[in-house]
Amino acid sequence: MRKTVLILTIALLAFASLVAVPAKQTPITITQPDGRMLTYILRGDEVVSWCESMDGYTLLANSEGVLCYAMTDKDKNLVSSGVVACNSEERNVQDLLFLKSIDKKLFYSEQQMERFAKIRQSMFGSGE
């Protein structure tokens, strides 16, 4: 009986470690390379992740790892705009003009989500 309980406990712990863990919802504040401050929240899990500004703009890192406002490309894929993100009180005229051209709460395209599903499948063995 003890051996069965031990095996079940180990199996349960192994299964629990395979479940995607949601991102921590605590605001994070950083100083961007241009000296401006950015407070954001992590969204998603270890497979599908992005950041969101405190006022709801989706953020993605550019090729240098700097958090920028996200936008959609011609194929509706979520991509970094290259416009460095900052807190609302530090935005300049160029930032404000750019932000008028994008929506808040942008999300990955179906095509991108299919790629994430394949990654999840390879990591966890299921599409969930």
Side-chain angles (χ1 to χ4, degrees):
M1 177 71 174
R2 263 178 134 185
K3 192 174 185 179
T4 304
V5 171
L6 180 61
I7 291 171
L8 288 173
T9 302
I10 291 171
L12 181 62
L13 290 174
F15 176 76
S17 70
L18 295 178
V19 177
V21 179
K24 190 175 179 182
Q25 298 296 303
T26 305
I28 299 166
T29 300
I30 61 169
T31 302
Q32 293 279 58
D34 64 5
R36 296 185 293 173
M37 302 300 291
L38 173 65
T39 302
Y40 64 93
I41 296 177
L42 293 174
R43 300 284 189 209
D45 59 32
E46 63 271 3
V47 178
V48 180
S49 62
W50 68 99
C51 301
E52 191 173 286
S53 68
M54 298 308 291
D55 58 344
Y57 286 101
T58 304
L59 309 173
L60 291 177
N62 66 12
S63 59
E64 289 84 39
V66 177
L67 284 176
C68 298
Y69 299 106
M71 58 186 278
T72 53
D73 66 11
K74 63 179 177 53
D75 297 319
K76 307 279 190 222
N77 292 319
L78 192 63
V79 296
S80 172
S81 67
V83 177
V84 177
C86 66
N87 291 334
S88 60
E89 63 274 7
E90 295 191 56
R91 292 180 185 145
N92 58 36
V93 173
Q94 291 87 0
D95 296 328
L96 296 172
L97 287 172
F98 173 75
L99 292 175
K100 284 184 178 187
S101 72
I102 63 170
D103 292 324
K104 293 182 179 185
K105 307 280 186 187
L106 294 174
F107 194 67
Y108 294 103
S109 68
E110 286 183 34
Q111 181 182 13
Q112 288 173 307
M113 290 305 293
E114 288 172 8
R115 281 184 285 204
F116 288 133
K118 288 178 184 176
I119 293 169
R120 189 178 308 283
Q121 174 71 28
S122 70
M123 289 175 67
F124 303 119
S126 76
E128 300 183 282

mmCIF file of all heavy atoms in Angstrom, residues 96-127:
data_model
loop_
_atom_site.group_PDB
_atom_site.id
_atom_site.type_symbol
_atom_site.label_atom_id
_atom_site.label_comp_id
_atom_site.label_asym_id
_atom_site.label_seq_id
_atom_site.Cartn_x
_atom_site.Cartn_y
_atom_site.Cartn_z
ATOM 1 N N LEU A 96 2.763 59.299 -28.782
ATOM 2 C CA LEU A 96 1.309 59.473 -28.778
ATOM 3 C C LEU A 96 0.724 59.314 -30.178
ATOM 4 O O LEU A 96 -0.334 58.690 -30.344
ATOM 5 C CB LEU A 96 0.942 60.829 -28.181
ATOM 6 C CG LEU A 96 1.317 61.016 -26.704
ATOM 7 C CD1 LEU A 96 1.096 62.453 -26.275
ATOM 8 C CD2 LEU A 96 0.572 60.039 -25.816
ATOM 9 N N LEU A 97 1.409 59.851 -31.178
ATOM 10 C CA LEU A 97 0.934 59.687 -32.555
ATOM 11 C C LEU A 97 0.962 58.219 -32.967
ATOM 12 O O LEU A 97 0.025 57.724 -33.591
ATOM 13 C CB LEU A 97 1.779 60.524 -33.518
ATOM 14 C CG LEU A 97 1.547 62.037 -33.466
ATOM 15 C CD1 LEU A 97 2.575 62.769 -34.331
ATOM 16 C CD2 LEU A 97 0.133 62.369 -33.910
ATOM 17 N N PHE A 98 2.033 57.514 -32.606
ATOM 18 C CA PHE A 98 2.106 56.102 -32.939
ATOM 19 C C PHE A 98 0.991 55.325 -32.246
ATOM 20 O O PHE A 98 0.324 54.484 -32.858
ATOM 21 C CB PHE A 98 3.466 55.508 -32.558
ATOM 22 C CG PHE A 98 3.497 54.020 -32.738
ATOM 23 C CD1 PHE A 98 3.584 53.468 -34.003
ATOM 24 C CD2 PHE A 98 3.380 53.173 -31.647
ATOM 25 C CE1 PHE A 98 3.564 52.097 -34.188
ATOM 26 C CE2 PHE A 98 3.366 51.802 -31.818
ATOM 27 C CZ PHE A 98 3.456 51.260 -33.087
ATOM 28 N N LEU A 99 0.771 55.584 -30.978
ATOM 29 C CA LEU A 99 -0.231 54.845 -30.216
ATOM 30 C C LEU A 99 -1.647 55.062 -30.750
ATOM 31 O O LEU A 99 -2.501 54.184 -30.598
ATOM 32 C CB LEU A 99 -0.146 55.188 -28.730
ATOM 33 C CG LEU A 99 1.129 54.695 -28.046
ATOM 34 C CD1 LEU A 99 1.190 55.185 -26.611
ATOM 35 C CD2 LEU A 99 1.251 53.184 -28.134
ATOM 36 N N LYS A 100 -1.873 56.184 -31.406
ATOM 37 C CA LYS A 100 -3.184 56.400 -32.042
ATOM 38 C C LYS A 100 -3.401 55.441 -33.213
ATOM 39 O O LYS A 100 -4.529 55.203 -33.623
ATOM 40 C CB LYS A 100 -3.317 57.845 -32.534
ATOM 41 C CG LYS A 100 -3.576 58.835 -31.434
ATOM 42 C CD LYS A 100 -3.805 60.225 -32.005
ATOM 43 C CE LYS A 100 -4.101 61.203 -30.893
ATOM 44 N NZ LYS A 100 -4.479 62.524 -31.407
ATOM 45 N N SER A 101 -2.309 54.887 -33.744
ATOM 46 C CA SER A 101 -2.407 54.015 -34.919
ATOM 47 C C SER A 101 -2.561 52.532 -34.566
ATOM 48 O O SER A 101 -2.712 51.708 -35.464
ATOM 49 C CB SER A 101 -1.181 54.197 -35.818
ATOM 50 O OG SER A 101 -0.024 53.612 -35.223
ATOM 51 N N ILE A 102 -2.477 52.189 -33.282
ATOM 52 C CA ILE A 102 -2.611 50.781 -32.885
ATOM 53 C C ILE A 102 -3.693 50.631 -31.818
ATOM 54 O O ILE A 102 -4.078 51.605 -31.175
ATOM 55 C CB ILE A 102 -1.275 50.190 -32.365
ATOM 56 C CG1 ILE A 102 -0.812 50.903 -31.092
ATOM 57 C CG2 ILE A 102 -0.212 50.201 -33.444
ATOM 58 C CD1 ILE A 102 0.359 50.229 -30.402
ATOM 59 N N ASP A 103 -4.151 49.404 -31.661
ATOM 60 C CA ASP A 103 -5.151 49.101 -30.634
ATOM 61 C C ASP A 103 -4.472 48.596 -29.376
ATOM 62 O O ASP A 103 -3.356 48.088 -29.413
ATOM 63 C CB ASP A 103 -6.121 48.011 -31.131
ATOM 64 C CG ASP A 103 -7.001 48.495 -32.268
ATOM 65 O OD1 ASP A 103 -7.398 49.676 -32.255
ATOM 66 O OD2 ASP A 103 -7.270 47.681 -33.172
ATOM 67 N N LYS A 104 -5.183 48.704 -28.280
ATOM 68 C CA LYS A 104 -4.747 48.091 -27.027
ATOM 69 C C LYS A 104 -5.148 46.619 -27.060
ATOM 70 O O LYS A 104 -5.966 46.199 -27.878
ATOM 71 C CB LYS A 104 -5.409 48.776 -25.833
ATOM 72 C CG LYS A 104 -4.952 50.205 -25.632
ATOM 73 C CD LYS A 104 -5.603 50.812 -24.405
ATOM 74 C CE LYS A 104 -5.118 52.237 -24.191
ATOM 75 N NZ LYS A 104 -5.646 52.820 -22.950
ATOM 76 N N LYS A 105 -4.561 45.854 -26.150
ATOM 77 C CA LYS A 105 -4.918 44.440 -25.950
ATOM 78 C C LYS A 105 -4.766 43.605 -27.231
ATOM 79 O O LYS A 105 -5.586 42.736 -27.513
ATOM 80 C CB LYS A 105 -6.337 44.296 -25.408
ATOM 81 C CG LYS A 105 -6.629 45.106 -24.163
ATOM 82 C CD LYS A 105 -6.109 44.435 -22.941
ATOM 83 C CE LYS A 105 -6.559 45.223 -21.701
ATOM 84 N NZ LYS A 105 -5.956 44.732 -20.486
ATOM 85 N N LEU A 106 -3.724 43.869 -28.018
ATOM 86 C CA LEU A 106 -3.469 43.054 -29.200
ATOM 87 C C LEU A 106 -3.050 41.659 -28.768
ATOM 88 O O LEU A 106 -2.511 41.462 -27.672
ATOM 89 C CB LEU A 106 -2.372 43.691 -30.058
ATOM 90 C CG LEU A 106 -2.700 45.036 -30.701
ATOM 91 C CD1 LEU A 106 -1.467 45.602 -31.401
ATOM 92 C CD2 LEU A 106 -3.854 44.896 -31.658
ATOM 93 N N PHE A 107 -3.291 40.678 -29.642
ATOM 94 C CA PHE A 107 -2.950 39.294 -29.316
ATOM 95 C C PHE A 107 -2.396 38.597 -30.552
ATOM 96 O O PHE A 107 -2.564 39.058 -31.673
ATOM 97 C CB PHE A 107 -4.175 38.542 -28.774
ATOM 98 C CG PHE A 107 -3.841 37.246 -28.129
ATOM 99 C CD1 PHE A 107 -3.116 37.201 -26.945
ATOM 100 C CD2 PHE A 107 -4.215 36.052 -28.714
ATOM 101 C CE1 PHE A 107 -2.786 35.991 -26.342
ATOM 102 C CE2 PHE A 107 -3.896 34.833 -28.125
ATOM 103 C CZ PHE A 107 -3.186 34.810 -26.934
ATOM 104 N N TYR A 108 -1.758 37.481 -30.327
ATOM 105 C CA TYR A 108 -1.148 36.713 -31.399
ATOM 106 C C TYR A 108 -2.190 36.243 -32.425
ATOM 107 O O TYR A 108 -3.337 35.996 -32.089
ATOM 108 C CB TYR A 108 -0.425 35.493 -30.830
ATOM 109 C CG TYR A 108 0.760 35.860 -29.974
ATOM 110 C CD1 TYR A 108 0.691 35.797 -28.584
ATOM 111 C CD2 TYR A 108 1.954 36.273 -30.547
ATOM 112 C CE1 TYR A 108 1.787 36.136 -27.798
ATOM 113 C CE2 TYR A 108 3.044 36.615 -29.772
ATOM 114 C CZ TYR A 108 2.952 36.546 -28.405
ATOM 115 O OH TYR A 108 4.028 36.885 -27.620
ATOM 116 N N SER A 109 -1.741 36.062 -33.664
ATOM 117 C CA SER A 109 -2.604 35.572 -34.740
ATOM 118 C C SER A 109 -2.874 34.080 -34.567
ATOM 119 O O SER A 109 -2.189 33.396 -33.793
ATOM 120 C CB SER A 109 -1.937 35.804 -36.098
ATOM 121 O OG SER A 109 -0.797 34.958 -36.219
ATOM 122 N N GLU A 110 -3.845 33.588 -35.318
ATOM 123 C CA GLU A 110 -4.133 32.152 -35.295
ATOM 124 C C GLU A 110 -2.902 31.355 -35.722
ATOM 125 O O GLU A 110 -2.601 30.305 -35.149
ATOM 126 C CB GLU A 110 -5.316 31.828 -36.205
ATOM 127 C CG GLU A 110 -6.645 32.256 -35.643
ATOM 128 C CD GLU A 110 -7.812 31.857 -36.530
ATOM 129 O OE1 GLU A 110 -7.737 30.787 -37.177
ATOM 130 O OE2 GLU A 110 -8.789 32.619 -36.576
ATOM 131 N N GLN A 111 -2.209 31.844 -36.742
ATOM 132 C CA GLN A 111 -0.997 31.168 -37.224
ATOM 133 C C GLN A 111 0.055 31.092 -36.113
ATOM 134 O O GLN A 111 0.687 30.053 -35.910
ATOM 135 C CB GLN A 111 -0.449 31.913 -38.436
ATOM 136 C CG GLN A 111 0.795 31.306 -39.039
ATOM 137 C CD GLN A 111 1.318 32.114 -40.212
ATOM 138 O OE1 GLN A 111 0.905 33.241 -40.448
ATOM 139 N NE2 GLN A 111 2.249 31.537 -40.943
ATOM 140 N N GLN A 112 0.251 32.182 -35.388
ATOM 141 C CA GLN A 112 1.208 32.175 -34.291
ATOM 142 C C GLN A 112 0.758 31.223 -33.180
ATOM 143 O O GLN A 112 1.576 30.494 -32.614
ATOM 144 C CB GLN A 112 1.394 33.590 -33.739
ATOM 145 C CG GLN A 112 2.173 34.494 -34.671
ATOM 146 C CD GLN A 112 2.213 35.922 -34.192
ATOM 147 O OE1 GLN A 112 1.179 36.523 -33.910
ATOM 148 N NE2 GLN A 112 3.416 36.472 -34.088
ATOM 149 N N MET A 113 -0.530 31.198 -32.891
ATOM 150 C CA MET A 113 -1.052 30.306 -31.847
ATOM 151 C C MET A 113 -0.876 28.839 -32.243
ATOM 152 O O MET A 113 -0.624 27.997 -31.385
ATOM 153 C CB MET A 113 -2.508 30.630 -31.532
ATOM 154 C CG MET A 113 -2.696 31.964 -30.813
ATOM 155 S SD MET A 113 -1.733 32.116 -29.285
ATOM 156 C CE MET A 113 -2.547 30.887 -28.266
ATOM 157 N N GLU A 114 -0.980 28.539 -33.530
ATOM 158 C CA GLU A 114 -0.733 27.172 -33.985
ATOM 159 C C GLU A 114 0.724 26.776 -33.737
ATOM 160 O O GLU A 114 1.009 25.648 -33.332
ATOM 161 C CB GLU A 114 -1.081 27.033 -35.470
ATOM 162 C CG GLU A 114 -2.570 27.059 -35.752
ATOM 163 C CD GLU A 114 -2.911 27.125 -37.232
ATOM 164 O OE1 GLU A 114 -1.999 26.993 -38.079
ATOM 165 O OE2 GLU A 114 -4.104 27.323 -37.534
ATOM 166 N N ARG A 115 1.644 27.713 -33.962
ATOM 167 C CA ARG A 115 3.058 27.436 -33.681
ATOM 168 C C ARG A 115 3.280 27.217 -32.190
ATOM 169 O O ARG A 115 4.017 26.321 -31.787
ATOM 170 C CB ARG A 115 3.953 28.571 -34.185
ATOM 171 C CG ARG A 115 4.197 28.487 -35.683
ATOM 172 C CD ARG A 115 5.145 29.542 -36.119
ATOM 173 N NE ARG A 115 4.379 30.795 -36.100
ATOM 174 C CZ ARG A 115 4.649 31.856 -36.807
ATOM 175 N NH1 ARG A 115 5.694 31.887 -37.570
ATOM 176 N NH2 ARG A 115 3.895 32.922 -36.749
ATOM 177 N N PHE A 116 2.625 28.039 -31.376
ATOM 178 C CA PHE A 116 2.738 27.862 -29.924
ATOM 179 C C PHE A 116 2.167 26.509 -29.496
ATOM 180 O O PHE A 116 2.704 25.859 -28.603
ATOM 181 C CB PHE A 116 2.022 28.984 -29.168
ATOM 182 C CG PHE A 116 2.722 30.318 -29.237
ATOM 183 C CD1 PHE A 116 2.011 31.460 -29.538
ATOM 184 C CD2 PHE A 116 4.080 30.436 -28.976
ATOM 185 C CE1 PHE A 116 2.632 32.703 -29.588
ATOM 186 C CE2 PHE A 116 4.722 31.674 -29.024
ATOM 187 C CZ PHE A 116 3.993 32.802 -29.330
ATOM 188 N N ALA A 117 1.079 26.088 -30.132
ATOM 189 C CA ALA A 117 0.480 24.782 -29.806
ATOM 190 C C ALA A 117 1.459 23.657 -30.103
ATOM 191 O O ALA A 117 1.565 22.689 -29.333
ATOM 192 C CB ALA A 117 -0.824 24.586 -30.578
ATOM 193 N N LYS A 118 2.213 23.770 -31.192
ATOM 194 C CA LYS A 118 3.221 22.752 -31.523
ATOM 195 C C LYS A 118 4.341 22.743 -30.485
ATOM 196 O O LYS A 118 4.837 21.688 -30.093
ATOM 197 C CB LYS A 118 3.775 22.991 -32.921
ATOM 198 C CG LYS A 118 2.786 22.662 -34.018
ATOM 199 C CD LYS A 118 3.335 22.951 -35.388
ATOM 200 C CE LYS A 118 2.262 22.685 -36.439
ATOM 201 N NZ LYS A 118 2.690 23.040 -37.776
ATOM 202 N N ILE A 119 4.726 23.935 -30.047
ATOM 203 C CA ILE A 119 5.760 24.017 -29.007
ATOM 204 C C ILE A 119 5.247 23.384 -27.720
ATOM 205 O O ILE A 119 5.944 22.594 -27.076
ATOM 206 C CB ILE A 119 6.175 25.488 -28.763
ATOM 207 C CG1 ILE A 119 6.888 26.041 -29.990
ATOM 208 C CG2 ILE A 119 7.039 25.613 -27.508
ATOM 209 C CD1 ILE A 119 7.096 27.546 -29.972
ATOM 210 N N ARG A 120 4.018 23.731 -27.353
ATOM 211 C CA ARG A 120 3.411 23.161 -26.143
ATOM 212 C C ARG A 120 3.348 21.639 -26.249
ATOM 213 O O ARG A 120 3.650 20.931 -25.310
ATOM 214 C CB ARG A 120 2.029 23.746 -25.912
ATOM 215 C CG ARG A 120 1.421 23.368 -24.572
ATOM 216 C CD ARG A 120 0.059 24.003 -24.329
ATOM 217 N NE ARG A 120 0.005 25.426 -24.506
ATOM 218 C CZ ARG A 120 0.449 26.331 -23.655
ATOM 219 N NH1 ARG A 120 1.010 25.942 -22.534
ATOM 220 N NH2 ARG A 120 0.317 27.625 -23.885
ATOM 221 N N GLN A 121 2.967 21.142 -27.431
ATOM 222 C CA GLN A 121 2.877 19.702 -27.662
ATOM 223 C C GLN A 121 4.240 19.044 -27.446
ATOM 224 O O GLN A 121 4.338 18.004 -26.806
ATOM 225 C CB GLN A 121 2.364 19.426 -29.086
ATOM 226 C CG GLN A 121 2.370 17.970 -29.483
ATOM 227 C CD GLN A 121 1.306 17.150 -28.768
ATOM 228 O OE1 GLN A 121 0.284 17.677 -28.397
ATOM 229 N NE2 GLN A 121 1.580 15.886 -28.587
ATOM 230 N N SER A 122 5.289 19.665 -27.966
ATOM 231 C CA SER A 122 6.624 19.082 -27.816
ATOM 232 C C SER A 122 7.109 19.150 -26.375
ATOM 233 O O SER A 122 7.836 18.272 -25.919
ATOM 234 C CB SER A 122 7.614 19.751 -28.759
ATOM 235 O OG SER A 122 7.876 21.063 -28.356
ATOM 236 N N MET A 123 6.693 20.184 -25.647
ATOM 237 C CA MET A 123 7.114 20.330 -24.254
ATOM 238 C C MET A 123 6.314 19.447 -23.302
ATOM 239 O O MET A 123 6.875 18.852 -22.389
ATOM 240 C CB MET A 123 6.961 21.792 -23.802
ATOM 241 C CG MET A 123 7.952 22.738 -24.411
ATOM 242 S SD MET A 123 7.638 24.457 -23.957
ATOM 243 C CE MET A 123 7.976 24.444 -22.208
ATOM 244 N N PHE A 124 5.000 19.415 -23.494
ATOM 245 C CA PHE A 124 4.118 18.792 -22.513
ATOM 246 C C PHE A 124 3.398 17.547 -23.008
ATOM 247 O O PHE A 124 2.726 16.877 -22.246
ATOM 248 C CB PHE A 124 3.072 19.797 -22.028
ATOM 249 C CG PHE A 124 3.660 21.034 -21.438
ATOM 250 C CD1 PHE A 124 3.398 22.279 -21.994
ATOM 251 C CD2 PHE A 124 4.496 20.965 -20.346
ATOM 252 C CE1 PHE A 124 3.937 23.422 -21.439
ATOM 253 C CE2 PHE A 124 5.045 22.109 -19.791
ATOM 254 C CZ PHE A 124 4.771 23.345 -20.341
ATOM 255 N N GLY A 125 3.442 17.295 -24.311
ATOM 256 C CA GLY A 125 2.785 16.114 -24.843
ATOM 257 C C GLY A 125 1.303 16.250 -25.033
ATOM 258 O O GLY A 125 0.624 15.273 -25.307
ATOM 259 N N SER A 126 0.768 17.477 -24.923
ATOM 260 C CA SER A 126 -0.661 17.695 -25.209
ATOM 261 C C SER A 126 -0.833 19.087 -25.760
ATOM 262 O O SER A 126 0.004 19.947 -25.587
ATOM 263 C CB SER A 126 -1.516 17.514 -23.958
ATOM 264 O OG SER A 126 -1.390 18.624 -23.108
ATOM 265 N N GLY A 127 -1.948 19.349 -26.400
ATOM 266 C CA GLY A 127 -2.215 20.649 -27.001
ATOM 267 C C GLY A 127 -2.865 21.616 -26.048
ATOM 268 O O GLY A 127 -3.309 22.659 -26.436
#
